[in-house]
Amino acid sequence: MAKRVQDQKPARPAEAKAWVQENVLEQKKRHAAIQKEMNEDLAPQREQWYREFLQVVQTRGFNANGDQRRVIKPAEVPKKPNRPHKVVY
């Protein structure tokens, strides 16, 4: 098989490697802070949002098609899973 230019990459200087490592560590710190905010700090507010949403769709309904509204019966609402909520990221 022939060697191609895109298969070869130049060596990365030590200074560049250090810069990449530093930025990776900073990004991991920011990511951990965002995860904490989404999964722990906003959890009580998220529960309130869920309750409000379920109340709206069970009383006023939602637009199913154009101006037609459909009310969700309490029996149609799925049960809350028995696990902690986790934001997908």
Side-chain angles (χ1 to χ4, degrees):
M1 189 171 210
K3 285 201 165 215
R4 296 191 169 100
V5 173
Q6 66 262 28
D7 294 336
Q8 301 171 358
K9 60 181 179 179
R12 183 177 286 169
E15 182 181 302
K17 285 182 184 178
W19 181 85
V20 168
Q21 280 291 42
E22 179 184 332
N23 281 288
V24 165
L25 291 175
E26 288 175 8
Q27 187 169 354
K28 284 184 179 182
K29 275 198 231 174
R30 287 192 304 270
H31 184 259
I34 291 169
Q35 269 186 311
K36 181 183 178 299
E37 181 182 2
M38 288 191 313
N39 290 320
E40 296 171 21
D41 299 344
L42 282 177
Q45 182 65 35
R46 185 178 301 110
E47 291 298 323
Q48 178 65 28
W49 293 332
Y50 287 160
R51 282 192 298 275
E52 290 172 359
F53 171 76
L54 290 175
Q55 182 201 10
V56 168
V57 296
Q58 291 177 20
T59 55
R60 291 181 36 216
F62 70 98
N63 287 7
N65 183 14
D67 62 348
Q68 296 176 339
R69 294 186 74 81
R70 181 179 184 282
V71 175
I72 303 295
K73 298 174 187 167
E76 292 180 275
V77 175
K79 302 256 186 273
K80 183 178 176 186
N82 191 14
R83 59 177 168 73
H85 181 87
K86 182 178 178 184
V87 176
V88 179
Y89 44 90

Coordinates of all heavy atoms in Angstrom, one line a residue:
M1 N 0.8 -1.2 0.0 CA 0.0 0.0 0.0 C 0.9 1.2 0.0 O 1.9 1.3 0.7 CB -0.9 0.0 1.2 CG -1.9 1.0 1.3 SD -3.0 0.6 2.7 CE -4.5 1.2 2.1
A2 N 0.5 2.2 -0.8 CA 1.3 3.4 -0.9 C 1.2 4.3 0.3 O 0.1 4.4 0.9 CB 0.9 4.1 -2.2
K3 N 2.3 5.0 0.6 CA 2.2 6.0 1.7 C 1.5 7.2 1.2 O 1.8 7.7 0.1 CB 3.6 6.3 2.2 CG 4.2 5.2 3.1 CD 5.3 5.7 3.9 CE 5.5 4.7 5.0 NZ 5.9 5.3 6.2
R4 N 0.7 7.8 2.0 CA 0.0 9.1 1.6 C 0.4 10.2 2.5 O 0.8 9.9 3.7 CB -1.5 8.9 1.6 CG -2.0 7.8 0.7 CD -3.5 7.9 0.6 NE -4.0 7.1 -0.5 CZ -4.4 5.9 -0.4 NH1 -4.5 5.3 0.8 NH2 -4.9 5.2 -1.5
V5 N 0.4 11.4 2.0 CA 0.7 12.5 2.8 C -0.1 12.7 4.1 O 0.4 13.0 5.1 CB 0.7 13.8 2.0 CG1 0.9 15.1 2.8 CG2 1.6 13.8 0.8
Q6 N -1.4 12.4 3.9 CA -2.3 12.6 5.1 C -2.1 11.5 6.2 O -2.6 11.7 7.3 CB -3.8 12.6 4.7 CG -4.3 11.2 4.1 CD -4.3 11.2 2.6 OE1 -3.5 11.9 2.0 NE2 -5.1 10.4 2.0
D7 N -1.3 10.5 5.9 CA -1.0 9.5 6.9 C 0.2 9.9 7.7 O 0.4 9.2 8.8 CB -0.7 8.1 6.2 CG -2.0 7.5 5.5 OD1 -3.1 7.9 6.0 OD2 -1.8 6.7 4.6
Q8 N 0.9 10.8 7.3 CA 2.1 11.3 8.0 C 1.8 12.6 8.8 O 1.2 13.5 8.2 CB 3.3 11.5 7.1 CG 3.6 10.3 6.3 CD 4.7 10.6 5.2 OE1 5.0 11.7 5.0 NE2 5.1 9.5 4.5
K9 N 2.2 12.7 10.0 CA 2.0 13.9 10.7 C 3.3 14.4 11.3 O 4.1 13.6 11.7 CB 0.9 13.8 11.8 CG 1.2 12.8 12.9 CD 0.1 12.7 13.9 CE 0.4 11.7 14.9 NZ -0.6 11.6 15.9
P10 N 3.5 15.7 11.4 CA 4.8 16.2 11.9 C 4.8 16.0 13.4 O 3.8 15.9 14.1 CB 4.8 17.7 11.6 CG 3.3 18.0 11.3 CD 2.7 16.8 10.9
A11 N 6.0 15.9 14.0 CA 6.2 15.8 15.4 C 5.7 17.1 16.1 O 5.9 18.2 15.6 CB 7.6 15.5 15.7
R12 N 5.0 16.9 17.2 CA 4.5 18.0 18.0 C 5.6 18.5 18.9 O 6.1 17.7 19.7 CB 3.2 17.7 18.7 CG 2.6 18.8 19.4 CD 1.3 18.4 20.1 NE 0.3 18.3 19.1 CZ -0.9 17.7 19.3 NH1 -1.2 17.2 20.5 NH2 -1.8 17.6 18.3
P13 N 5.9 19.8 18.9 CA 6.9 20.3 19.8 C 6.5 20.2 21.3 O 5.3 20.1 21.6 CB 7.1 21.8 19.5 CG 6.3 22.0 18.2 CD 5.4 20.8 18.0
A14 N 7.4 20.1 22.2 CA 7.1 19.9 23.6 C 6.3 21.1 24.2 O 5.4 20.9 25.0 CB 8.4 19.8 24.4
E15 N 6.6 22.3 23.6 CA 5.8 23.5 24.1 C 4.4 23.3 23.7 O 3.5 23.7 24.5 CB 6.4 24.7 23.4 CG 5.8 26.0 23.8 CD 6.4 27.2 23.0 OE1 7.6 27.4 23.2 OE2 5.6 27.9 22.3
A16 N 4.1 22.8 22.5 CA 2.7 22.6 22.1 C 2.0 21.5 22.9 O 0.9 21.7 23.2 CB 2.7 22.3 20.6
K17 N 2.8 20.5 23.2 CA 2.2 19.4 24.0 C 1.8 19.9 25.4 O 0.7 19.6 25.9 CB 3.2 18.3 24.2 CG 3.3 17.4 23.0 CD 4.3 16.3 23.3 CE 4.6 15.5 22.0 NZ 5.5 14.4 22.2
A18 N 2.7 20.8 26.0 CA 2.4 21.3 27.3 C 1.1 22.2 27.2 O 0.3 22.2 28.1 CB 3.6 22.1 27.8
W19 N 1.0 23.0 26.1 CA -0.1 23.9 26.0 C -1.4 23.1 25.9 O -2.4 23.4 26.5 CB 0.1 24.8 24.7 CG -1.0 25.7 24.5 CD1 -1.2 26.9 25.0 CD2 -2.2 25.5 23.6 NE1 -2.4 27.5 24.5 CE2 -3.0 26.6 23.7 CE3 -2.6 24.4 22.8 CZ2 -4.1 26.7 22.9 CZ3 -3.7 24.5 22.1 CH2 -4.5 25.7 22.2
V20 N -1.4 22.0 25.1 CA -2.6 21.2 24.9 C -3.0 20.6 26.3 O -4.1 20.6 26.6 CB -2.3 20.1 23.9 CG1 -3.4 19.0 23.9 CG2 -2.2 20.6 22.5
Q21 N -2.0 20.0 27.0 CA -2.3 19.4 28.3 C -2.9 20.5 29.3 O -3.9 20.2 30.0 CB -1.0 18.9 29.0 CG -0.7 17.5 28.4 CD -1.6 16.4 28.9 OE1 -2.8 16.6 28.9 NE2 -1.1 15.3 29.2
E22 N -2.4 21.7 29.3 CA -2.9 22.7 30.1 C -4.3 23.1 29.8 O -5.2 23.2 30.7 CB -2.0 24.0 30.0 CG -2.5 25.2 30.8 CD -1.6 26.4 30.5 OE1 -0.5 26.3 30.2 OE2 -2.2 27.5 30.7
N23 N -4.6 23.2 28.5 CA -6.0 23.5 28.1 C -6.9 22.3 28.3 O -8.1 22.6 28.6 CB -6.0 23.9 26.6 CG -5.5 25.3 26.4 OD1 -6.2 26.2 26.7 ND2 -4.3 25.5 25.9
V24 N -6.5 21.1 28.2 CA -7.3 19.9 28.5 C -7.7 20.0 30.0 O -8.9 19.7 30.3 CB -6.6 18.6 28.1 CG1 -7.3 17.4 28.7 CG2 -6.5 18.5 26.6
L25 N -6.8 20.2 30.8 CA -7.1 20.3 32.3 C -8.1 21.4 32.6 O -9.0 21.2 33.4 CB -5.8 20.5 33.1 CG -4.9 19.3 33.1 CD1 -3.6 19.6 33.8 CD2 -5.5 18.1 33.7
E26 N -7.9 22.6 32.0 CA -8.9 23.7 32.2 C -10.2 23.3 31.7 O -11.3 23.6 32.3 CB -8.4 24.9 31.4 CG -7.2 25.6 32.1 CD -6.6 26.8 31.2 OE1 -7.3 27.2 30.3 OE2 -5.6 27.3 31.6
Q27 N -10.3 22.7 30.5 CA -11.6 22.3 30.0 C -12.3 21.2 30.8 O -13.5 21.3 31.0 CB -11.4 21.7 28.6 CG -12.7 21.5 27.9 CD -12.6 21.2 26.4 OE1 -11.5 21.3 25.9 NE2 -13.7 20.9 25.8
K28 N -11.5 20.3 31.4 CA -12.1 19.3 32.3 C -12.7 20.0 33.6 O -13.7 19.6 34.0 CB -11.1 18.2 32.7 CG -10.8 17.3 31.5 CD -9.9 16.2 32.0 CE -9.7 15.2 30.8 NZ -8.8 14.1 31.2
K29 N -12.0 21.0 34.1 CA -12.5 21.7 35.2 C -13.9 22.4 34.9 O -14.8 22.4 35.7 CB -11.5 22.8 35.7 CG -10.5 22.3 36.6 CD -9.9 23.5 37.3 CE -8.4 23.5 37.2 NZ -7.7 24.6 37.8
R30 N -13.9 23.1 33.7 CA -15.1 23.8 33.3 C -16.2 22.8 33.1 O -17.4 23.0 33.5 CB -14.9 24.6 32.0 CG -14.1 25.8 32.2 CD -14.1 26.7 31.0 NE -13.7 26.1 29.8 CZ -12.4 26.0 29.3 NH1 -11.4 26.6 30.0 NH2 -12.1 25.4 28.2
H31 N -15.9 21.6 32.5 CA -16.9 20.6 32.3 C -17.5 20.1 33.6 O -18.7 19.8 33.7 CB -16.3 19.5 31.4 CG -17.3 18.4 31.0 ND1 -17.4 17.2 31.7 CD2 -18.2 18.4 30.1 CE1 -18.3 16.5 31.2 NE2 -18.8 17.2 30.2
A32 N -16.6 19.8 34.6 CA -17.1 19.4 35.9 C -18.0 20.4 36.5 O -19.0 20.0 37.1 CB -15.9 19.1 36.8
A33 N -17.7 21.7 36.4 CA -18.5 22.7 37.0 C -19.9 22.7 36.3 O -20.9 22.9 36.9 CB -17.9 24.1 36.8
I34 N -19.9 22.6 34.9 CA -21.2 22.6 34.2 C -22.0 21.4 34.6 O -23.2 21.5 34.8 CB -20.9 22.6 32.7 CG1 -20.3 24.0 32.3 CG2 -22.1 22.3 31.9 CD1 -19.7 24.0 30.9
Q35 N -21.4 20.2 34.7 CA -22.1 19.0 35.1 C -22.7 19.2 36.5 O -23.9 18.8 36.7 CB -21.1 17.8 35.2 CG -20.9 17.0 34.0 CD -20.1 15.8 34.2 OE1 -19.0 15.9 34.8 NE2 -20.5 14.7 33.8
K36 N -22.0 19.7 37.4 CA -22.5 19.9 38.8 C -23.7 20.9 38.7 O -24.7 20.6 39.3 CB -21.4 20.5 39.7 CG -21.9 20.8 41.1 CD -20.8 21.4 41.9 CE -21.2 21.7 43.3 NZ -22.4 22.6 43.4
E37 N -23.6 21.9 37.9 CA -24.7 22.9 37.8 C -25.9 22.2 37.2 O -27.0 22.4 37.7 CB -24.3 24.1 37.0 CG -25.4 25.1 36.9 CD -25.0 26.3 36.0 OE1 -23.9 26.3 35.4 OE2 -25.9 27.2 35.9
M38 N -25.7 21.4 36.2 CA -26.9 20.8 35.5 C -27.5 19.7 36.3 O -28.7 19.6 36.4 CB -26.5 20.2 34.1 CG -26.2 21.3 33.1 SD -26.0 20.7 31.4 CE -24.9 19.3 31.6
N39 N -26.7 18.9 37.0 CA -27.2 17.7 37.6 C -27.5 17.9 39.1 O -28.4 17.2 39.6 CB -26.2 16.5 37.4 CG -26.2 16.0 36.0 OD1 -27.2 15.9 35.4 ND2 -25.0 15.7 35.5
E40 N -26.9 18.8 39.8 CA -27.1 19.0 41.2 C -27.8 20.3 41.5 O -28.8 20.3 42.2 CB -25.8 18.8 42.0 CG -25.1 17.5 41.8 CD -23.7 17.4 42.4 OE1 -23.4 18.3 43.2 OE2 -23.0 16.5 42.0
D41 N -27.2 21.4 41.1 CA -27.7 22.7 41.4 C -29.1 23.0 40.9 O -29.9 23.6 41.5 CB -26.7 23.8 41.0 CG -25.3 23.6 41.7 OD1 -25.3 22.9 42.7 OD2 -24.4 24.2 41.2
L42 N -29.4 22.5 39.7 CA -30.7 22.8 39.0 C -31.7 21.7 39.3 O -32.8 21.9 38.8 CB -30.5 23.0 37.5 CG -29.9 24.3 37.0 CD1 -29.7 24.3 35.5 CD2 -30.8 25.4 37.4
A43 N -31.4 20.7 40.0 CA -32.3 19.6 40.3 C -33.6 20.0 40.9 O -34.7 19.6 40.4 CB -31.6 18.5 41.1
P44 N -33.6 20.8 41.9 CA -34.9 21.2 42.5 C -35.7 22.1 41.5 O -37.0 21.9 41.4 CB -34.5 22.1 43.7 CG -33.1 21.8 44.0 CD -32.5 21.3 42.8
Q45 N -35.1 23.0 40.8 CA -35.8 23.8 39.8 C -36.3 22.9 38.7 O -37.4 23.1 38.2 CB -34.9 24.8 39.2 CG -35.5 25.8 38.2 CD -36.6 26.6 38.9 OE1 -36.5 27.0 40.0 NE2 -37.6 26.9 38.1
R46 N -35.6 21.9 38.3 CA -36.0 21.0 37.2 C -37.2 20.2 37.6 O -38.2 20.0 36.8 CB -34.9 20.0 36.8 CG -35.2 19.1 35.6 CD -34.1 18.2 35.3 NE -32.9 18.9 34.9 CZ -31.8 19.0 35.7 NH1 -31.7 18.3 36.8 NH2 -30.7 19.7 35.3
E47 N -37.3 19.8 38.9 CA -38.5 19.1 39.4 C -39.7 20.0 39.3 O -40.8 19.5 38.9 CB -38.2 18.6 40.8 CG -37.2 17.5 40.9 CD -37.6 16.2 40.2 OE1 -38.9 15.9 40.2 OE2 -36.8 15.6 39.6
Q48 N -39.5 21.2 39.6 CA -40.6 22.2 39.5 C -41.1 22.4 38.0 O -42.3 22.4 37.8 CB -40.2 23.6 40.1 CG -41.3 24.6 40.0 CD -42.5 24.3 40.8 OE1 -42.5 23.6 41.8 NE2 -43.6 24.8 40.4
W49 N -40.1 22.4 37.1 CA -40.4 22.6 35.7 C -41.2 21.4 35.2 O -42.2 21.5 34.5 CB -39.2 22.7 34.9 CG -38.4 24.0 35.1 CD1 -38.9 25.2 35.4 CD2 -37.0 24.1 34.9 NE1 -37.9 26.1 35.5 CE2 -36.7 25.5 35.2 CE3 -36.0 23.3 34.5 CZ2 -35.4 26.0 35.1 CZ3 -34.7 23.8 34.4 CH2 -34.4 25.2 34.7
Y50 N -40.8 20.2 35.7 CA -41.6 18.9 35.3 C -43.0 19.0 35.8 O -43.9 18.7 35.1 CB -40.9 17.7 35.9 CG -39.6 17.3 35.2 CD1 -38.7 16.5 35.9 CD2 -39.2 17.8 33.9 CE1 -37.5 16.1 35.3 CE2 -38.0 17.4 33.4 CZ -37.2 16.6 34.0 OH -36.0 16.2 33.4
R51 N -43.2 19.4 37.1 CA -44.5 19.5 37.7 C -45.4 20.5 36.9 O -46.5 20.2 36.6 CB -44.4 19.9 39.1 CG -44.1 18.7 40.1 CD -44.3 19.1 41.5 NE -43.5 20.2 42.0 CZ -42.3 20.1 42.4 NH1 -41.7 18.9 42.5 NH2 -41.6 21.2 42.8
E52 N -44.8 21.6 36.6 CA -45.6 22.6 35.8 C -46.0 22.1 34.4 O -47.1 22.3 34.0 CB -44.8 23.9 35.7 CG -44.6 24.7 37.0 CD -43.6 25.8 36.9 OE1 -43.1 26.1 35.8 OE2 -43.4 26.5 37.9
F53 N -45.0 21.5 33.8 CA -45.3 21.0 32.4 C -46.4 19.9 32.5 O -47.3 19.9 31.7 CB -44.0 20.3 31.8 CG -44.3 19.6 30.6 CD1 -44.5 20.3 29.4 CD2 -44.3 18.2 30.6 CE1 -44.7 19.6 28.2 CE2 -44.5 17.5 29.4 CZ -44.8 18.2 28.2
L54 N -46.3 19.0 33.4 CA -47.3 17.9 33.5 C -48.7 18.5 33.8 O -49.7 18.0 33.3 CB -46.9 16.9 34.5 CG -45.7 16.0 34.1 CD1 -45.3 15.1 35.3 CD2 -46.0 15.2 32.9
Q55 N -48.7 19.5 34.7 CA -50.0 20.2 35.0 C -50.6 20.8 33.7 O -51.8 20.7 33.5 CB -49.8 21.2 36.1 CG -51.1 21.8 36.5 CD -51.0 23.2 37.1 OE1 -49.9 23.7 37.2 NE2 -52.1 23.7 37.6
V56 N -49.8 21.5 32.9 CA -50.3 22.1 31.7 C -50.8 21.1 30.7 O -51.9 21.3 30.2 CB -49.1 23.0 31.1 CG1 -49.5 23.5 29.7 CG2 -48.9 24.2 32.0
V57 N -50.1 20.1 30.5 CA -50.5 19.1 29.4 C -51.7 18.3 29.9 O -52.5 17.8 29.1 CB -49.4 18.1 29.0 CG1 -48.3 18.9 28.3 CG2 -48.9 17.3 30.1
Q58 N -51.9 18.2 31.3 CA -53.1 17.5 31.8 C -54.3 18.4 31.9 O -55.4 17.9 32.0 CB -52.8 16.9 33.1 CG -51.8 15.7 33.0 CD -51.4 15.1 34.3 OE1 -52.1 15.3 35.3 NE2 -50.3 14.4 34.4
T59 N -54.1 19.7 32.0 CA -55.3 20.6 32.1 C -55.6 21.3 30.8 O -56.7 21.2 30.3 CB -55.0 21.6 33.2 OG1 -53.8 22.3 32.9 CG2 -54.9 21.0 34.6
R60 N -54.6 22.0 30.2 CA -54.8 22.7 29.0 C -54.5 21.9 27.7 O -55.0 22.2 26.7 CB -53.9 24.0 28.9 CG -54.4 25.0 29.9 CD -53.5 26.2 29.9 NE -53.0 26.6 28.6 CZ -51.9 27.1 28.3 NH1 -51.0 27.3 29.2 NH2 -51.5 27.5 27.1
G61 N -53.7 20.9 27.8 CA -53.3 20.1 26.7 C -52.2 20.7 25.9 O -51.5 21.7 26.3
F62 N -51.9 20.2 24.7 CA -50.9 20.7 23.8 C -51.4 20.7 22.4 O -52.4 20.0 22.1 CB -49.6 19.9 24.0 CG -49.7 18.5 23.4 CD1 -49.3 18.3 22.1 CD2 -50.3 17.5 24.1 CE1 -49.4 17.0 21.6 CE2 -50.4 16.2 23.6 CZ -49.9 16.0 22.3
N63 N -50.8 21.5 21.6 CA -51.3 21.5 20.2 C -50.9 20.2 19.5 O -49.7 19.9 19.3 CB -50.6 22.7 19.4 CG -51.2 24.0 19.9 OD1 -52.0 24.0 20.8 ND2 -50.9 25.1 19.2
A64 N -51.9 19.4 19.1 CA -51.6 18.2 18.4 C -51.5 18.4 16.9 O -50.6 17.8 16.2 CB -52.7 17.2 18.6
N65 N -52.3 19.3 16.3 CA -52.3 19.6 14.9 C -52.9 21.0 14.7 O -54.1 21.1 14.9 CB -53.0 18.5 14.1 CG -53.0 18.7 12.6 OD1 -52.2 19.5 12.2 ND2 -53.8 18.1 11.9
G66 N -52.1 21.9 14.3 CA -52.6 23.3 14.1 C -53.2 23.8 15.4 O -52.5 24.0 16.4
D67 N -54.5 24.1 15.3 CA -55.1 24.7 16.5 C -55.9 23.6 17.3 O -56.6 24.0 18.2 CB -56.1 25.8 16.1 CG -57.2 25.4 15.2 OD1 -57.1 24.3 14.7 OD2 -58.1 26.2 15.0
Q68 N -55.7 22.4 17.0 CA -56.4 21.3 17.8 C -55.5 21.0 19.0 O -54.4 20.7 18.9 CB -56.6 20.0 16.9 CG -57.5 20.2 15.8 CD -57.5 18.9 14.9 OE1 -56.6 18.1 15.0 NE2 -58.5 18.8 14.1
R69 N -56.2 21.0 20.2 CA -55.5 20.7 21.4 C -55.9 19.3 21.9 O -57.0 18.9 21.8 CB -55.8 21.8 22.4 CG -55.2 23.2 22.0 CD -55.4 24.2 23.1 NE -54.5 24.1 24.2 CZ -53.2 24.5 24.2 NH1 -52.7 25.1 23.2 NH2 -52.5 24.4 25.3
R70 N -54.9 18.6 22.5 CA -55.2 17.3 23.1 C -54.7 17.3 24.5 O -53.6 17.7 24.8 CB -54.4 16.3 22.3 CG -54.6 14.9 22.8 CD -53.8 13.9 22.0 NE -54.0 12.5 22.4 CZ -53.5 11.9 23.5 NH1 -52.8 12.6 24.3 NH2 -53.8 10.7 23.8
V71 N -55.7 17.0 25.4 CA -55.4 16.9 26.8 C -54.9 15.5 27.2 O -55.4 14.5 26.7 CB -56.6 17.2 27.7 CG1 -56.4 17.0 29.1 CG2 -57.1 18.6 27.4
I72 N -53.8 15.4 27.9 CA -53.2 14.1 28.3 C -53.9 13.7 29.6 O -54.0 14.4 30.6 CB -51.7 14.3 28.6 CG1 -51.0 14.8 27.3 CG2 -51.1 13.0 29.0 CD1 -51.0 13.9 26.1
K73 N -54.4 12.5 29.6 CA -55.0 11.9 30.8 C -53.9 11.5 31.8 O -52.8 11.1 31.4 CB -55.9 10.7 30.4 CG -57.0 11.0 29.5 CD -57.7 9.8 29.0 CE -58.7 10.1 27.9 NZ -59.2 9.0 27.2
P74 N -54.2 11.6 33.1 CA -53.2 11.2 34.1 C -52.7 9.8 33.9 O -51.6 9.5 34.2 CB -54.0 11.4 35.4 CG -55.0 12.4 35.1 CD -55.4 12.2 33.7
A75 N -53.6 8.9 33.4 CA -53.1 7.5 33.2 C -52.1 7.4 32.1 O -51.3 6.4 32.1 CB -54.4 6.6 32.9
E76 N -52.1 8.4 31.2 CA -51.1 8.3 30.1 C -49.7 8.9 30.4 O -48.8 8.7 29.7 CB -51.7 9.2 28.9 CG -52.9 8.6 28.2 CD -53.3 9.4 27.1 OE1 -54.1 10.4 27.3 OE2 -52.9 9.2 25.9
V77 N -49.7 9.6 31.6 CA -48.4 10.2 32.0 C -47.5 9.0 32.5 O -47.9 8.3 33.4 CB -48.6 11.2 33.1 CG1 -47.3 11.8 33.6 CG2 -49.4 12.4 32.5
P78 N -46.3 8.9 32.0 CA -45.4 7.8 32.5 C -45.0 8.1 33.9 O -44.9 9.2 34.4 CB -44.2 7.9 31.5 CG -44.2 9.2 30.9 CD -45.7 9.7 30.9
K79 N -44.7 7.0 34.6 CA -44.3 7.0 36.0 C -42.9 7.6 36.0 O -42.1 7.3 35.1 CB -44.3 5.7 36.6 CG -45.7 5.0 36.6 CD -46.3 5.1 38.0 CE -47.6 4.3 38.0 NZ -48.8 5.1 37.7
K80 N -42.5 8.3 37.1 CA -41.2 8.8 37.3 C -40.2 7.6 37.5 O -40.5 6.8 38.3 CB -41.1 9.8 38.4 CG -39.8 10.4 38.6 CD -39.8 11.4 39.7 CE -38.4 12.0 39.9 NZ -38.3 12.8 41.1
P81 N -39.1 7.6 36.8 CA -38.2 6.5 37.0 C -37.6 6.5 38.4 O -37.4 7.6 39.0 CB -37.1 6.7 35.9 CG -37.3 8.0 35.3 CD -38.7 8.5 35.7
N82 N -37.2 5.3 38.9 CA -36.7 5.3 40.3 C -35.2 5.3 40.2 O -34.5 4.4 40.5 CB -37.1 3.9 40.9 CG -36.8 3.9 42.4 OD1 -36.5 4.9 43.0 ND2 -36.8 2.7 43.0
R83 N -34.7 6.5 39.7 CA -33.2 6.7 39.7 C -33.0 8.2 39.6 O -34.0 9.0 39.3 CB -32.6 6.1 38.4 CG -33.3 6.6 37.1 CD -32.6 6.0 35.9 NE -33.3 6.3 34.7 CZ -33.4 7.4 34.1 NH1 -32.8 8.5 34.6 NH2 -34.1 7.6 33.0
P84 N -31.9 8.7 40.0 CA -31.6 10.1 39.9 C -31.6 10.6 38.5 O -31.2 9.9 37.6 CB -30.3 10.3 40.6 CG -29.6 9.0 40.6 CD -30.7 8.0 40.5
H85 N -32.1 11.9 38.3 CA -32.1 12.5 37.0 C -30.7 12.8 36.6 O -29.9 13.3 37.4 CB -33.0 13.7 37.0 CG -33.1 14.4 35.7 ND1 -34.0 14.1 34.7 CD2 -32.3 15.4 35.1 CE1 -33.8 14.8 33.6 NE2 -32.8 15.6 33.8
K86 N -30.4 12.6 35.3 CA -29.0 12.9 34.8 C -29.2 13.6 33.5 O -29.8 13.0 32.6 CB -28.2 11.7 34.7 CG -26.8 11.9 34.3 CD -26.0 10.6 34.3 CE -24.6 10.8 33.8 NZ -23.9 9.6 33.6
V87 N -28.6 14.8 33.4 CA -28.6 15.5 32.1 C -27.6 14.8 31.1 O -26.5 14.5 31.5 CB -28.2 17.0 32.3 CG1 -28.2 17.7 30.9 CG2 -29.2 17.7 33.2
V88 N -28.1 14.5 29.9 CA -27.2 13.9 28.9 C -26.3 15.0 28.4 O -26.7 16.0 28.0 CB -28.1 13.3 27.8 CG1 -27.2 12.6 26.8 CG2 -29.0 12.3 28.4
Y89 N -25.0 14.7 28.3 CA -24.0 15.6 27.8 C -23.1 14.9 26.9 O -22.9 13.7 26.9 CB -23.3 16.4 28.9 CG -22.9 15.5 30.1 CD1 -21.7 14.9 30.1 CD2 -23.8 15.3 31.1 CE1 -21.3 14.1 31.1 CE2 -23.4 14.5 32.2 CZ -22.2 13.9 32.2 OH -21.8 13.1 33.2

